Amino acid sequence: MVFSSPAFLFLFLPAALALWWWAVGQGRVRAAQWLLIATSIAFYALWNAWHLPILAGFILGNYAAGQALARRPSKPLLAGAIAGNLALLCTFKYLGFFTAAVNDLTGTTWAVFSLALPLGISFVTFQAIAYLVDSYRGVAPRSSLRRFALFLVFFPQLVAGPIVHHGDFAPQTRWLPAWDWPRAARGLFLLWLGLAKKVLIADPLGALIDPLWASASQLNLVEAWLALWGYALQLYFDFSAYGEMAIGLGLLFGFRLPVNFNSPYKATTIADFWRRWHITLSTWLRDYLYVPLGGSRQGFLRGLAAAAATMLLGGLWHGAAWTFLAWGALHAAYIATYRLWVALRPRPLPTGLAQALTLLAVVLAWLPFRAPSFEVAGQLLATLSGVSATAFTGFTSPAVMAIPLLLALWIAVLRAPNALELADRFDPHRPGHRFLTHAATAASVLCIGATGQFLYWSF
């Protein structure tokens, strides 16, 4: 069930909120939290009930391992528990990819299986691994099975993040939240703003540029650049919309979820971009992969190697395809270039030029990220470079008529406040603010029937 669907917004969410706040009003912490867990499991079951036993085993196994590690830290147990999580993730997400790779390399003919991904498996796996490592280090808060289950299955962040740390969420489950009108108003504002971005911008952008990607071999130079810059916008609005809706939903239930987006296209360096884009994933990769690999503490070259390994695995985390690995490799090269630049200590670039170069690098890297194959990526790259046979032919798509609209959206992305900044300024008592919120909500509801799945649900 998609957050931007009528069934969720007008049936599931009102019922879930009513049940939760009724239970909170009874003052019984355990009963209320078990009810919210049941609600989250129902949300999960509406996607694929056959995966419920996997989810139950995942919760019980990680909780038991975390408790054992907290009582007696053990490297073999930690390694085994992490390996179990990664084995489950690899079975569902990478089995077909690895089997096909072995077949290609060795000439074998092993059957290539494609299993349906359990909802949000990449996100909850990373959350569980962080919990295990923190338990081993002795920094994970003590938690009951009930509170641990709520941490993993709380439905606003279950599907596509943000990646929540047990240490941030568990303290919020020690007591029941009190109803707070300003918090609820902020939550509603973020929910409806995210809905508007998804329904009014991201989905129409997808309908506009998806045909361009489907006919990559026929595009001219302008259409190819339109496909690339249009996708960069679509992904930005789609992913940020989900993050804002997740935070808004969390606030409606009285929980704080971490910020996952902070105007990433305004970044002035590639390091700055990764501090702004998918913030919780970047933080996880830094704390649980980059630093354990040595980070920047063991010399310049070791730091480059650790960064390269981190970005390659971060790319593969997004999907079981060589194109995602290529995307990670590009960002590894960007980071290496940036570090070499910093090490040489040249004169800093002007802010505008630094932002433009960073944005161009990021957008170019979306090419293998979005392309279904290297063949398509190569076709588009040739056209983008002006060396393909179709680069200077006539227009084949009416999408070029939307270029002024895309320019306006890019100006807004690069110059306007982001959603959280707008939420800080939102005052439900001001008529103008209420009018704009109601107008965006009404327009979103009118278009809601055509909404599509969030892009990051696939990861």
Side-chain angles (χ1 to χ4, degrees):
M1 189 181 345
V2 182
F3 285 176
S4 52
S5 67
F8 176 81
L9 290 169
F10 303 122
L11 294 176
F12 184 89
L13 179 58
L17 285 170
L19 285 170
W20 167 245
W21 286 110
W22 170 81
V24 169
Q26 304 303 306
R28 300 172 61 185
V29 177
R30 293 182 180 181
Q33 291 179 350
W34 278 119
L35 181 60
L36 187 53
I37 291 168
T39 301
S40 298
I41 290 174
F43 176 86
Y44 194 94
L46 289 170
W47 182 263
N48 191 332
W50 293 104
H51 287 155
L52 286 180
I54 298 171
L55 180 64
F58 185 86
I59 293 170
L60 292 172
N62 279 290
Y63 179 72
Q67 293 296 296
L69 287 167
R71 288 193 300 270
R72 182 177 296 178
S74 165
K75 285 187 177 180
L77 176 58
L78 175 64
I82 292 176
N85 280 294
L86 293 178
L88 181 67
L89 178 63
C90 289
T91 298
F92 281 95
K93 191 169 182 178
Y94 302 107
L95 179 61
F97 171 70
F98 289 144
T99 304
V102 170
N103 286 343
D104 292 339
L105 289 172
T106 64
T108 55
T109 57
W110 293 97
V112 178
F113 295 99
S114 179
L115 302 175
L117 280 177
L119 197 62
I121 186 171
S122 298
F123 291 88
V124 295
T125 298
F126 273 26
Q127 290 186 189
I129 290 175
Y131 165 73
L132 293 171
V133 174
D134 289 350
S135 297
Y136 171 80
R137 293 172 176 171
V139 297
R142 297 294 298 271
S143 182
S144 65
L145 175 61
R146 178 190 75 257
R147 293 167 59 202
F148 178 75
L150 182 57
F151 151 69
L152 277 186
V153 304
F154 184 46
F155 74 87
Q157 52 84 34
L158 173 66
V159 182
I163 298 172
V164 180
H165 278 264
H166 181 259
D168 294 329
F169 192 84
Q172 300 181 63
T173 61
R174 290 176 183 156
W175 54 81
L176 292 175
W179 176 258
D180 182 76
W181 277 110
R183 181 182 62 205
R186 181 182 174 85
L188 277 174
F189 178 81
L190 287 170
L191 176 64
W192 292 121
L193 183 60
L195 175 67
K197 290 170 69 173
K198 169 65 173 170
V199 174
L200 301 179
I201 302 177
D203 287 345
L205 278 173
L208 179 74
I209 62 129
D210 284 349
L212 295 175
W213 286 88
S215 56
S217 62
Q218 304 169 23
L219 304 182
N220 65 23
L221 185 68
V222 174
E223 291 167 336
W225 281 105
L226 175 62
L228 186 59
W229 287 90
Y231 176 71
L233 276 178
Q234 180 199 6
L235 184 61
Y236 174 89
F237 281 106
D238 191 280
F239 190 26
S240 63
Y242 180 90
E244 287 143 22
M245 293 183 80
I247 292 174
L249 288 167
L251 291 173
L252 288 175
F253 284 90
F255 295 96
R256 299 181 312 277
L257 296 179
V259 174
N260 211 23
F261 239 74
N262 183 20
S263 300
Y265 289 159
K266 296 178 182 178
T268 55
T269 68
I270 197 65
D272 188 27
F273 171 78
W274 279 106
R275 286 190 290 265
R276 294 166 174 265
W277 173 275
H278 208 336
I279 298 169
T280 58
L281 174 63
S282 303
T283 303
W284 193 99
L285 291 171
R286 180 197 67 198
D287 293 346
Y288 299 100
L289 190 57
Y290 174 71
V291 172
L293 287 174
S296 56
R297 298 169 302 170
Q298 299 185 23
F300 183 75
L301 293 179
R302 181 67 176 269
L304 287 183
T310 300
M311 294 314 304
L312 287 172
L313 290 173
L316 195 59
W317 176 87
H318 281 84
W322 293 109
T323 50
F324 288 112
L325 204 60
W327 174 75
L330 271 174
H331 275 276
Y334 291 161
I335 289 173
T337 303
Y338 169 70
R339 291 193 170 188
L340 286 170
W341 175 271
V342 172
L344 294 173
R345 301 188 184 279
R347 180 179 300 175
L349 292 175
T351 301
L353 178 58
Q355 183 178 1
L357 290 174
T358 302
L359 180 60
L360 179 60
V362 168
V363 171
L364 285 173
W366 291 134
L367 177 57
F369 189 92
R370 171 61 176 82
S373 66
F374 282 126
E375 180 184 3
V376 172
Q379 290 171 344
L380 267 175
L381 183 59
T383 305
L384 292 169
S385 305
V387 298
S388 74
T390 62
F392 297 102
T393 58
F395 293 111
T396 61
S397 171
V400 294
M401 302 295 293
I403 289 177
L405 175 60
L406 264 66
L407 288 174
L409 287 174
W410 271 111
I411 292 172
V413 165
L414 296 174
R415 303 295 296 177
N418 62 36
L420 294 174
E421 291 167 341
L422 290 174
D424 290 337
R425 303 176 188 180
F426 174 68
D427 182 357
H429 301 293
R430 296 181 63 177
H433 288 195
R434 288 202 307 270
F435 172 78
L436 289 175
T437 303
H438 295 330
T441 301
S444 302
V445 170
L446 289 174
C447 300
I448 207 170
T451 189
Q453 180 175 301
F454 287 93
L455 295 177
Y456 258 72
W457 281 39
S458 302
F459 305 140

